[in-house]
């Protein structure tokens, strides 16, 4: 029996055209793109083609602003630590929010232990940052603001363009983690007023372990990987050419299919949200009703454990997640959900559902039925639920 | 016409079994290994299988000592910067050699700008470090020694085991960049007395952009990529699973075929070195006669430019390199060759020839003929050569 994958935030199947391009690259035995002989030069053309493809997806002024990395985590580490270390004579104050990905939060903690000061701005109950709070937090020694484009647990989209206007006016460098947005909603680096954006290929049906960091021309940032002259001296290391070729094709497909993809995914999500109350009562919706990713929805069916729901659905061949895959194994409630005001119990009862282009309307129907059954089973044995609703 | 690849240090063709495993992984659409549902757990088993395969190649006490990275450059940055930042209360002095790869040299320069002190030990004319010089350089505040296993430009192998005895006696952490040795000569982490070793998959016919860092249990080192809980909290970021699976298969093949591979490659190298004087006069051999990689030889045919030789051989469908691909574009003479006592002119006249399992004895014959022709053509128009040898 085929598994219904409703966890497209942790991983995505590769597009058929991405698979074909990667298999072709594997069979072609390309040389090192930095080698000066003809096979090396040929390999370099494939690298540069992919750079143009990803630059096109985000409307970068030039492909030279694209620095290939090993994924979203490296991009975020590079941006945050690279800007901090390159600009510390100007100041050591950095502004962020309470709901960032761990790769930003823990990079900032690392910097904190090196004498940097961090201001972390709260979000409202809808999970959004008020740009005025960012403006108020800016000091004379602020060198960097880092705010994510969309949250990987709730799908809520932030007012990046407005924050970018503020950072630009204050001459503060602005980094945005756009890992979960790219290929799902339009991301235009020029419109957004950002200086650095992080991306990962697997967010838009490309391979894992590859991504890029957009660095606007003129932005002062140190490399994180020091060494060879690759990537215009911005990121050393022989490139993951097979992965980068796959990512380039995925980026071109995302640019081409963005509107269709958004319409299809938001159709599945709306169908699910419309029907949900008929299947599960007392269920909190954590995703912003207006500003959110088309494919992601976070729900908290009350009085039960999200992990139990996930495991029971897994037995029914349905894959969902309870939180960021990067935080698996942590027993603590999600910092993102606590930040939007959920109680510990409700946060622990949360499911993240992320639809993908491989899902069908039937998948949504099957999921709703199985979810109803699972929630009922768990509530029947939940002391909390029984206490509140009585045993009959 | 097929290109004869004699540049197996910059890149290597993938083994057929590596290609097959990667293509299978591409078509299988594995989930995120950190996801807790069944597809995630299945993906994790492939990750752990690869970890066992690479651990086996280096005789690691446990696969838990293997941390997957994006390649040799990340492994070197992680080791050097991670040890420095995690042990700086003990001291800020680090010892290295003059012939390290740029990813070690530039990581150390980065640390120098953060207050660390670096002692760089010289090598002898054969390109080897004297372990006594390392011992003499150790101070009370020395926290790290970093010496490469073999050099990527000369192929010379260092006395790592002896250096490891010294560092162990002095309770100093020992890192070794073994990128160009692994899969070519035996590398046994327990025999070598090292605490950290860097590896790259493409050195042994695996894909580029993937490698690992061996971290001996108990070694104090910070992650370089902060974020999620992947790799036992030692390296965050969703893994490049397709690349890692390919690397695992390449590692298993390397362990299985090491002896045959060494015999075959050193056969090609010996054939070449034996015949070379009959084809090219006044040619310096930069590779150590006893302690060197089986497949690599560095030669400096005097009075001509290595880059011109490389380009003319390229026209003849033969790929060689003049130096590390990571240093392409640099106009300066190689720091490695200057360190072993070459003049600037001879250093600029150097060719790095790296044989691979796909080369044949006929390739060596063809190369010798083309090299003879090329060197003659260039010497005929070399003012320096004409001045010394007269115009006839």
């Amino acid at each position: 029996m085929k598994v219904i994958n409703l966890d497209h935030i942790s991983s995505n199947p590769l597009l058929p055209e991405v698979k074909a391009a990667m298999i072709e690259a594997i069979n072609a035995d390309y040389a090192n793109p930095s080698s000066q002989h003809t096979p090396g030069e040929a390999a370099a053309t494939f690298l540069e083609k992919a750079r143009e493809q990803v630059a096109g997806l985000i409307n970068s002024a030039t492909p030279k602003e694209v620095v290939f990395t090993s994924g979203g985590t490296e991009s975020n580490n590079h941006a945050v630590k690279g800007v901090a270390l390159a600009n510390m004579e100007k100041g050591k104050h950095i502004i962020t929010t309470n709901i960032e990905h761990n790769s930003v939060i823990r990079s900032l903690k690392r910097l904190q232990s090196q004498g940097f000061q961090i201001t972390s701005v709260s979000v409202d109950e809808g999970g959004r940052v008020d740009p005025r709070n960012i403006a108020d937090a800016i000091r004379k020694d602020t060198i960097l603001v880092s705010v994510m484009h969309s949250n990987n647990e709730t799908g809520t989209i932030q007012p990046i363009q407005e924050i970018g206007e503020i950072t630009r006016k204050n001459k503060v460098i602005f980094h945005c983690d756009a890992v979960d947005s790219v290929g799902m909603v339009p991301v235009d680096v020029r419109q957004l007023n950002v200086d650095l954006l992080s991306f990962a290929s697997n967010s838009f049906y490309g391979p894992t372990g590859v991504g890029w960091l957009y660095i606007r021309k003129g932005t002062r940032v140190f490399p994180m990987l020091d060494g060879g002259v690759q990537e215009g001296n911005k990121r050393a290391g022989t490139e993951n050419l097979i992965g980068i070729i796959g990512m380039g094709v995925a980026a071109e497909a995302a640019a081409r299919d963005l509107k269709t993809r958004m319409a299809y995914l938001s159709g599945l999500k709306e169908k699910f949200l419309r029907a949900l109350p008929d299947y599960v009562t007392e269920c909190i919706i954590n995703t912003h009703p207006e500003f959110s990713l088309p494919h992601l929805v976070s729900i908290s069916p009350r009085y039960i454990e999200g992990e139990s729901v996930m495991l029971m659905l897994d037995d029914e061949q349905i894959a969902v997640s309870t939180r960021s895959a990067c935080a698996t194994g942590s027993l603590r409630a999600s910092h993102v959900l606590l930040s939007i005001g959920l109680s510990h119990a409700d946060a622990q009862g949360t499911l993240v559902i992320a639809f993908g282009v491989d899902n069908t309307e039937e998948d949504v129907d099957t999921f709703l039925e199985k979810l109803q059954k699972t929630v009922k089973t768990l509530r029947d044995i939940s002391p909390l639920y029984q206490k509140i609703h009585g045993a009959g």
Side-chain angles (χ1 to χ4, degrees), chain A:
Chain A
M1 193 179 155
K2 204 183 157 289
V3 173
I4 297 177
N5 177 16
L6 299 176
D7 182 19
H8 288 85
I9 204 81
S10 301
S11 68
N12 272 305
L14 299 171
L15 295 177
E17 61 207 277
V18 170
K19 291 182 180 181
M22 291 178 75
I23 291 169
E24 195 185 325
I26 284 172
N27 286 321
D29 280 327
Y30 294 129
N32 188 321
S34 294
S35 292
Q36 287 183 287
H37 42 60
T38 304
E41 283 171 5
T45 63
F46 291 102
L47 193 68
E48 296 318 313
K49 186 185 170 195
R51 200 183 305 279
E52 283 170 22
Q53 287 167 320
V54 304
L57 177 59
I58 59 170
N59 195 27
S60 173
T62 151
K64 286 183 185 164
E65 295 177 325
V66 167
V67 175
F68 292 126
T69 69
S70 66
T73 290
E74 183 186 323
S75 296
N76 280 341
N77 274 260
H78 185 165
V80 170
K81 296 176 184 171
V83 166
L85 297 177
N87 295 275
M88 56 192 288
E89 330 81 57
K90 287 189 200 160
K92 297 184 93 172
H93 180 241
I94 298 171
I95 300 167
T96 189
T97 81
N98 288 346
I99 57 155
E100 300 300 311
H101 187 265
N102 267 336
S103 53
V104 167
I105 295 178
R106 294 194 179 157
S107 290
L108 291 172
K109 278 196 181 147
R110 185 77 61 197
L111 289 170
Q112 215 167 8
S113 73
Q114 290 163 35
F116 286 84
Q117 289 183 303
I118 315 298
T119 300
S120 190
V121 170
S122 302
V123 293
D124 61 24
E125 284 198 1
R128 296 192 96 214
V129 184
D130 187 333
R132 284 171 302 183
N133 293 342
I134 300 285
D136 291 347
I138 291 178
R139 314 188 314 206
K140 272 193 181 165
D141 59 343
T142 306
I143 53 170
L144 172 67
V145 170
S146 181
V147 179
M148 73 200 322
H149 192 276
S150 63
N151 185 274
N152 58 316
E153 294 190 31
T154 63
T156 300
I157 294 177
Q158 301 300 330
I160 297 301
Q161 190 176 340
E162 292 80 350
I163 297 170
E165 281 164 19
I166 293 165
T167 54
R168 190 141 296 174
K169 209 174 71 187
N170 287 275
K171 295 196 172 101
V172 172
I173 295 174
F174 184 24
H175 166 247
C176 174
D177 167 6
V179 164
D180 293 299
S181 292
V182 68
M184 294 299 139
V185 290
V187 174
D188 181 322
V189 290
R190 285 189 266 183
Q191 194 178 55
L192 289 175
N193 301 313
V194 293
D195 300 302
L196 303 107
L197 270 98
S198 302
F199 301 98
S201 147
N202 51 311
S203 298
F204 53 97
Y205 307 96
T208 53
V210 52
W212 77 99
L213 178 63
Y214 162 82
I215 305 179
R216 183 184 296 277
K217 202 182 160 205
T219 307
R220 197 170 153 73
V221 50
F222 281 163
M224 217 192 42
L225 298 188
D226 291 302
V229 296
Q230 294 89 352
E231 297 295 304
N233 275 314
K234 289 175 191 147
R235 196 269 190 189
T238 300
E239 299 87 351
N240 169 9
L241 189 55
I242 295 164
I244 289 171
I245 286 172
M247 174 166 75
V249 172
E252 197 168 275
R256 181 191 67 212
D257 299 339
L258 190 61
K259 278 187 185 167
T260 334
R261 197 179 279 178
M262 285 176 75
Y264 183 70
L265 294 173
S266 57
L268 296 178
K269 179 172 154 181
E270 278 162 27
K271 176 184 163 76
F272 171 74
L273 282 173
R274 221 168 25 238
L276 182 63
D278 299 335
Y279 289 83
V280 181
T281 56
E282 295 184 82
C283 184
I284 305 167
I285 310 295
N286 303 306
T287 301
H288 198 282
E290 187 182 352
F291 303 106
S292 74
L293 292 174
H295 64 308
L296 196 147
V297 55
S298 166
I299 62 171
S300 306
R302 303 194 66 189
Y303 316 119
I304 54 178
E305 290 277 332
E307 193 155 316
S308 307
V309 181
M310 187 268 286
L311 292 171
M312 285 182 69
L313 287 171
D314 188 48
D315 282 342
E316 302 275 4
Q317 311 289 319
I318 294 177
V320 296
S321 68
T322 56
R323 64 195 313 177
S324 166
C326 294
T328 296
S330 168
L331 295 172
R332 286 186 297 178
S334 155
H335 67 282
V336 176
L337 299 175
L338 298 181
S339 294
I340 61 171
L342 255 63
S343 69
H344 267 80
D346 289 336
Q348 296 288 38
T350 301
L351 288 185
V352 182
I353 299 132
F355 298 102
V357 292
D358 49 307
N359 289 132
T360 61
E361 300 220 352
E362 290 71 49
D363 290 347
V364 179
D365 293 329
T366 309
F367 173 52
L368 282 163
E369 283 161 31
K370 305 284 188 189
L371 181 66
Q372 179 179 42
K373 194 179 113 188
T374 302
V375 170
K376 186 179 182 310
T377 305
L378 289 168
R379 282 184 177 167
D380 282 349
I381 57 167
S382 157
L384 191 59
Y385 185 82
Q386 295 305 326
K387 189 176 160 199
I388 289 169
H389 291 85

